[in-house]
Amino acid sequence: MRFQLLGPLALADGPDTVVLQPSKPANLLAALLLNANSTVSAGYLQRAVWGEEQPATAKAALQTCVLRLRRLFAKHGVTGTSIEAVPGGYRIVARPPTLDLLAFRDQVRRATAMDRDPEAELYTLRDALSLWQGALLANVRSAVLHRDEVPRLAEERLRVVERVCDLLLGLGRCGEALVDLWTATRVYPGHERFHEQLIEALYRGGRQSQALAEYRRVKDFLREELGVDPAPSLRRLELSILRGEELGAVGPAAFGATASGQAVGSGSASGRAAPAVSASGAVVGSGSAAAGAVAMSRVVRGETVPQPDAETPEPAPEPAPGPDPATAPAPVTAPARAPVTTPAPEPAPVPPGAIVEAPGAAGARVPPADAGIGPVPVVPHFTGRAAEAEAMAARLTAPPPTGPADHRALTVVVSGAPGIGKSALAQYVARQVGDAFPAGRLLVRMTRADGEPRTAGEVSAALAGALGAAGEGRALLILDDVVDADQVRPLLTPEGPPGAGPGLAVVVTSRMGLGGLIATHGGWVQRLTAFAEAESYGLLLAALGAERVEAEPDAAHRLTAVCGHFPAALRILTARLLTRPGLRLADAVDWLGDDPLARLTLTDSPGHSVTGLFDRALDRLDPRLSRAFTHLAQGPPELLADGGPEHEGPVPEAVREQLADAGLLEDGPPGPYRIHGLLRAHVRRTARIRDRRTEKV
């Protein structure tokens, strides 16, 4: 059993998750877990549960809340974690395997020890960030915790994101860094370090005009919204871009903070002095852009992160006061970091996710491409697909074939419509069968963030290092979002990718059926369709918790119907409902039913939307097929039949087969073709919007 704090407060047991309903015991549990293994005073707990104005019976009621939590632990079989009454308050005992916050901090501590191996550090930090599952404590209604604790936790995550982007820039993977930085700068517009990293990534990627435009945008924001000028490091970076100067090697931005979020002052193990902080919260003496130094936000939650100045060091000020040692976790100081440099030409062990670089002209090193390789992440609230998961696990863990050594890798193709849950199923099964693959499991994204497919040669070069460093025994690869068979055929030769050992297993996820790949290379196909009604209801139970769903079962079933039992829609819906714990499911049915396509999106992450998902899928189609599908979706269902209406004429079966192969039509011969209701509604809605835009006034 595992407690989840990095998102909605929940109890997780493998794939099963119980999201706690907003309540006083939930407030108490969150307060204890945020200070796990430390004594938390009864007075603080009472404020966390009831707020600053407490009832006269708060002391006795606190004991009742503790009793209710202990009963909850017993009900769900929680072992290894207990609430202890200690002098002056209470303490909850937890370890990294039982609390995601401790696991996150443990991963960050491990990463700080990898100062001379940037690839391994990057891998570890990304693994740590994968533990964050959504809005922090969305189901905990404690003003004290949201005021005092949530900003501190959010700052811990931002520091790790900063470090990840610094590592990507240092490794020359600017395109990969841009994916994170575009989002970070829009979500945190006052966080100057993210803007500096974004501008640097654009410039290093040869996009000088965009880099200058981004500088002007952030400069206008800081002046108009905050009344301040950009930090000196940002101004120096702009000057370097205007002069067309080489920025030189990217120096790593030291964390300058402990894993728990406590500032590191002078005398810390890092050996770096913390910059002074002005009354407005501005960091004084931020570092140079050429060395990759940082200028932190001047306004984000009133907190600052000390950062080095490579060119103009400031005298070390007095260290800022840290959290109350009675409630704060023990600090872990980040060690000094060596500069991130391009790997030397001679052969060296390459950690997972690395790319083997090709030498350029005159011995120069070509910057590595965006590898897109990493550990297989956890799938939150995975449910349904029991038969499919069991069958896939059985095939992947079956003994490798015996006989001649020229057999190809065991291949499983998971196909289906966009958003149907292909990647989630592949990742879930991969984590379940980990014991069968001692050489590791890797997720290989076959499509870049901009939608462009990676070439087989690029992926093969990246896998050479990743598999070569993975260890002995079988390995499992997930080739995610494959666009066509030719993209993966070179990776499925009898020899396999460079570095692959015997018995390699490969899971391919694709919107395409990839029948040609199966015909030439063998393998097994798992075609996914929309959830059954029971599976949709099970997803709501797993994500929202049994108490909330079973209180309104009819409304829950209506919600799944409005979503068309479509997995991507259901996951977006549950994420929205978790951020609004007081919204009744019956009210959500009316709210969603008014315009489901517009409301099946995450406001803080517009890329996570049903409409965006469908748009990206349609953009991949050949224009001829796209026009044919638009015609089919706007017309009557009879258009999908062989004959079609007399006044319309039939759509050729070859076209319908291609659309079905692309996951946009369901079923087909010998039965009728169908278009999912949400997809049909999206095409019609898009056409109406387009018509309104071109309508004459």
Side-chain angles (χ1 to χ4, degrees), residues 144-446:
V144 170
L145 295 182
H146 281 278
R147 180 194 67 200
D148 299 340
E149 301 289 349
V150 168
R152 179 170 61 85
L153 287 181
E155 195 66 34
E156 286 189 50
R157 179 181 177 276
L158 289 184
R159 292 171 186 178
V160 175
V161 173
E162 282 182 22
R163 180 60 187 165
V164 165
C165 293
D166 276 326
L167 288 167
L168 289 171
L169 291 175
L171 292 166
R173 289 153 64 173
C174 297
E176 193 173 340
L178 284 172
V179 176
D180 294 327
L181 289 169
W182 282 120
T183 301
T185 53
R186 272 52 182 174
V187 175
Y188 302 100
H191 199 304
E192 289 185 71
R193 177 54 188 157
F194 283 147
H195 290 288
E196 187 175 346
Q197 290 173 314
L198 174 60
I199 293 167
E200 185 174 339
L202 288 169
Y203 182 55
R204 288 180 181 277
R207 296 155 71 172
Q208 181 179 13
S209 60
Q210 281 185 269
L212 290 171
E214 183 63 22
Y215 174 81
R216 287 191 291 270
R217 195 190 69 80
V218 67
K219 178 180 178 182
D220 292 343
F221 171 83
L222 291 171
R223 285 183 172 177
E224 294 173 9
E225 299 294 329
L226 309 177
V228 297
D229 287 322
S233 59
L234 263 175
R235 298 200 296 270
R236 284 193 291 269
L237 178 57
E238 181 210 21
L239 188 59
S240 296
I241 296 173
L242 290 171
R243 291 172 174 172
E245 297 174 348
E246 284 285 338
L247 296 185
V250 179
F255 274 128
T258 66
S260 65
Q262 188 174 4
V264 177
S266 58
S268 71
S270 70
R272 298 185 185 272
V277 181
S278 70
S280 64
V283 179
V284 179
S286 53
S288 70
V294 298
M296 290 298 293
S297 168
R298 305 175 179 190
V299 295
V300 177
R301 303 185 182 90
E303 297 182 29
T304 58
V305 181
Q307 300 292 349
D309 187 338
E311 293 182 355
T312 56
E314 297 285 335
E318 291 296 321
D324 182 358
T327 59
V332 177
T333 305
R337 298 181 179 276
V340 178
T341 57
T342 305
E346 60 268 21
V350 185
I355 270 195
V356 178
E357 299 177 303
R365 303 291 288 175
V366 178
D370 176 7
I373 298 177
V376 177
V378 176
V379 182
H381 313 311
F382 185 87
T383 188
R385 311 291 191 202
E388 294 91 338
E390 183 179 356
M392 281 182 62
R395 288 185 179 272
L396 291 172
T397 56
T402 58
D406 61 351
H407 57 267
R408 294 185 172 92
L410 168 66
T411 306
V412 176
V413 174
V414 184
S415 62
I420 207 67
K422 303 178 293 295
S423 299
L425 175 63
Q427 292 166 22
Y428 171 76
V429 172
R431 293 187 70 90
Q432 298 302 304
V433 300
D435 292 343
F437 297 96
R441 298 152 293 167
L442 291 175
L443 176 65
V444 185
R445 302 195 184 278
M446 301 296 289

Side-chain angles (χ1 to χ4, degrees), residues 300-631:
V300 177
R301 303 185 182 90
E303 297 182 29
T304 58
V305 181
Q307 300 292 349
D309 187 338
E311 293 182 355
T312 56
E314 297 285 335
E318 291 296 321
D324 182 358
T327 59
V332 177
T333 305
R337 298 181 179 276
V340 178
T341 57
T342 305
E346 60 268 21
V350 185
I355 270 195
V356 178
E357 299 177 303
R365 303 291 288 175
V366 178
D370 176 7
I373 298 177
V376 177
V378 176
V379 182
H381 313 311
F382 185 87
T383 188
R385 311 291 191 202
E388 294 91 338
E390 183 179 356
M392 281 182 62
R395 288 185 179 272
L396 291 172
T397 56
T402 58
D406 61 351
H407 57 267
R408 294 185 172 92
L410 168 66
T411 306
V412 176
V413 174
V414 184
S415 62
I420 207 67
K422 303 178 293 295
S423 299
L425 175 63
Q427 292 166 22
Y428 171 76
V429 172
R431 293 187 70 90
Q432 298 302 304
V433 300
D435 292 343
F437 297 96
R441 298 152 293 167
L442 291 175
L443 176 65
V444 185
R445 302 195 184 278
M446 301 296 289
T447 307
R448 297 189 182 89
D450 60 5
E452 287 296 313
R454 289 184 168 86
T455 65
E458 176 187 341
V459 173
S460 181
L463 284 173
L467 291 172
E472 299 296 328
R474 299 184 72 195
L476 173 63
L477 300 181
I478 299 178
L479 305 182
D480 191 45
D481 200 14
V482 169
V483 297
D484 56 38
D486 290 337
Q487 191 185 18
V488 293
R489 278 198 179 100
L491 304 175
L492 301 178
T493 60
E495 297 78 17
L504 177 71
V506 178
V507 176
V508 174
T509 75
S510 177
R511 298 170 187 176
M512 308 300 292
L514 302 185
L517 180 69
I518 298 298
T520 58
H521 287 64
W524 177 72
V525 178
Q526 179 63 66
R527 184 82 173 181
L528 301 184
T529 59
F531 274 158
E533 185 174 359
E535 291 177 314
S536 298
Y537 189 80
L539 177 56
L540 292 192
L541 285 172
L544 302 179
E547 293 181 11
R548 187 174 183 183
V549 174
E550 291 177 352
E552 301 178 80
D554 292 340
H557 282 293
R558 293 202 303 275
L559 277 175
T560 63
V562 173
C563 291
H565 306 292
F566 199 72
L570 289 165
R571 290 196 175 276
I572 292 171
L573 169 69
T574 55
R576 296 210 64 173
L577 290 176
L578 283 170
T579 63
R580 302 180 65 181
L583 180 65
R584 295 175 60 249
L585 299 189
D587 295 333
V589 174
D590 297 332
W591 164 76
L592 182 63
D594 288 341
D595 192 352
L597 288 171
R599 287 170 180 167
L600 286 172
T601 184
L602 300 180
T603 54
D604 62 340
S605 182
H608 290 84
S609 69
V610 171
T611 55
L613 178 70
F614 290 158
D615 280 335
R616 290 189 292 272
L618 293 172
D619 287 344
R620 279 195 193 178
L621 283 181
D622 178 276
R624 179 180 61 89
L625 288 177
S626 181
R627 288 192 297 271
F629 181 72
T630 300
H631 176 61

